[in-house]
Amino acid sequence: MTGLQANGVSFEMVRVASGQFSMGSPNSLFSEGPSHLVVIRADFLLGLHPVTQRQWQAVMQDNPSGFPDSPSHPVESVNWDRAVEFCARLTEIWGKSVRLPSEAEWEYACRAGTETDFFFGAWGPFADSTEILAETQRMLSEFAWFDLNSRGRTHPVSMLRPNPWGLHDMIGNVWEWCADVWHDDYLGAPDDAAPWSKATARQPYQCLRGGAWDMDAFRCRSSYRSFDHRELATRKIGLRIVVEVE
């Protein structure tokens, strides 16, 4: 664990070691295929949890959240451009490169060395939400705030169990912006974990990962992908930061 400070507020980071993994899934959703090998060539620091309202306010001097006055909850109602601005301001404060994770970095960290639909059990692959077992959903509630346990709102970060690499709220609570431009599938995707930034006709869509407090269990799988307009800011969307290791 690495601790950084910004204007008196702590940011705890987890060092994610380099390695490789199979990104995507054999699921029938074409957006999750084809599965492909990705090599993470360098260690990186990833936020222990999504950026909180307290952390955001310390850096940006405002709080856009739709669930306000909840310092330990994830900041939300953040569009992609403001998320990038937040990273740029931390880069200035720390003198280190701070950015949004690539989709590949995010999935690698979420999976934490596992290969199944969820990092906490050998279930799946599931074709849709109707196939998710009751036992799977019960286990998911120990790790994620989603539609069955969230009571229609965000919750304080790090309240539930972490994934095998010690990262909290990788699934559920809020969607997390990634650096990548959205593509409908992985054909031609980078194999080195770099953000897929080549423009497509579907601009200005950016990638989102992790599911949110109102999502069903299917959308909390490690491989599940989504996207939205970079200008969109809703109570479901937040961010998690990467600090590059020198």
Side-chain angles (χ1 to χ4, degrees):
M1 192 85 67
T2 299
L4 296 169
Q5 294 274 332
N7 298 328
V9 173
S10 176
F11 287 72
E12 292 182 312
M13 311 295 295
V14 174
R15 189 175 185 120
V16 178
S18 59
Q20 62 184 40
F21 77 111
S22 180
M23 186 174 183
S25 80
N27 189 281
S28 57
L29 286 179
F30 64 87
S31 64
E32 295 179 17
S35 296
H36 56 290
L37 182 69
V38 174
V39 178
I40 312 291
R41 302 191 185 282
D43 295 5
F44 60 94
L45 299 177
L46 184 65
L48 174 67
H49 49 67
V51 172
T52 65
Q53 294 181 29
R54 178 183 290 109
Q55 291 170 332
W56 178 275
Q57 197 152 8
V59 175
M60 304 294 281
Q61 307 304 312
D62 65 22
N63 185 359
S65 300
F67 298 112
D69 303 319
S70 303
S72 62
H73 289 227
V75 69
E76 24 80 10
S77 303
V78 174
N79 67 30
W80 189 84
D81 290 310
R82 288 217 78 197
V84 170
E85 181 187 355
F86 178 81
C87 294
R89 292 198 187 185
L90 280 178
T91 296
E92 292 179 1
I93 293 170
W94 291 336
K96 304 174 184 291
S97 178
V98 182
R99 55 179 174 78
L100 298 176
S102 69
E103 263 204 287
E105 289 170 333
W106 188 96
E107 187 171 323
Y108 177 67
C110 182
R111 288 186 177 279
T114 65
E115 298 178 354
T116 51
D117 278 12
F118 297 98
F119 55 69
F120 52 81
W123 291 289
F126 299 112
D128 57 43
S129 59
T130 65
E131 294 190 352
I132 305 290
L133 308 172
E135 175 63 11
T136 307
Q137 298 199 57
R138 187 197 68 76
M139 282 291 295
L140 178 60
S141 68
E142 297 183 14
F143 296 88
W145 299 109
F146 66 118
D147 64 351
L148 295 187
N149 67 349
S150 72
R151 304 186 302 278
R153 60 167 299 128
T154 61
H155 290 266
V157 298
S158 299
M159 283 189 66
L160 301 179
R161 295 173 61 185
N163 78 355
W165 287 355
L167 294 157
H168 287 269
D169 300 281
M170 286 299 295
I171 47 178
N173 224 351
V174 290
W175 288 105
E176 298 175 13
W177 285 117
C178 289
D180 306 58
V181 169
W182 172 258
H183 293 74
D184 288 336
D185 54 43
Y186 286 133
L187 292 173
D191 61 5
D192 62 355
W196 199 357
S197 56
K198 182 179 179 181
T200 72
R202 300 197 67 175
Q203 290 299 295
Y205 292 137
Q206 300 291 149
C207 293
L208 291 163
R209 299 300 294 258
W213 49 266
D214 67 334
M215 296 289 108
D216 61 26
F218 186 74
R219 289 167 175 79
C220 291
R221 295 175 301 114
S222 298
S223 60
Y224 190 81
R225 310 173 65 217
S226 190
F227 64 92
D228 226 311
H229 290 278
R230 62 192 297 165
E231 296 92 352
L232 187 74
T234 76
R235 294 189 299 171
K236 306 173 189 178
I237 302 177
L239 72 153
R240 187 184 303 252
I241 60 170
V242 163
V243 177
E244 294 186 2
V245 175
E246 297 174 349

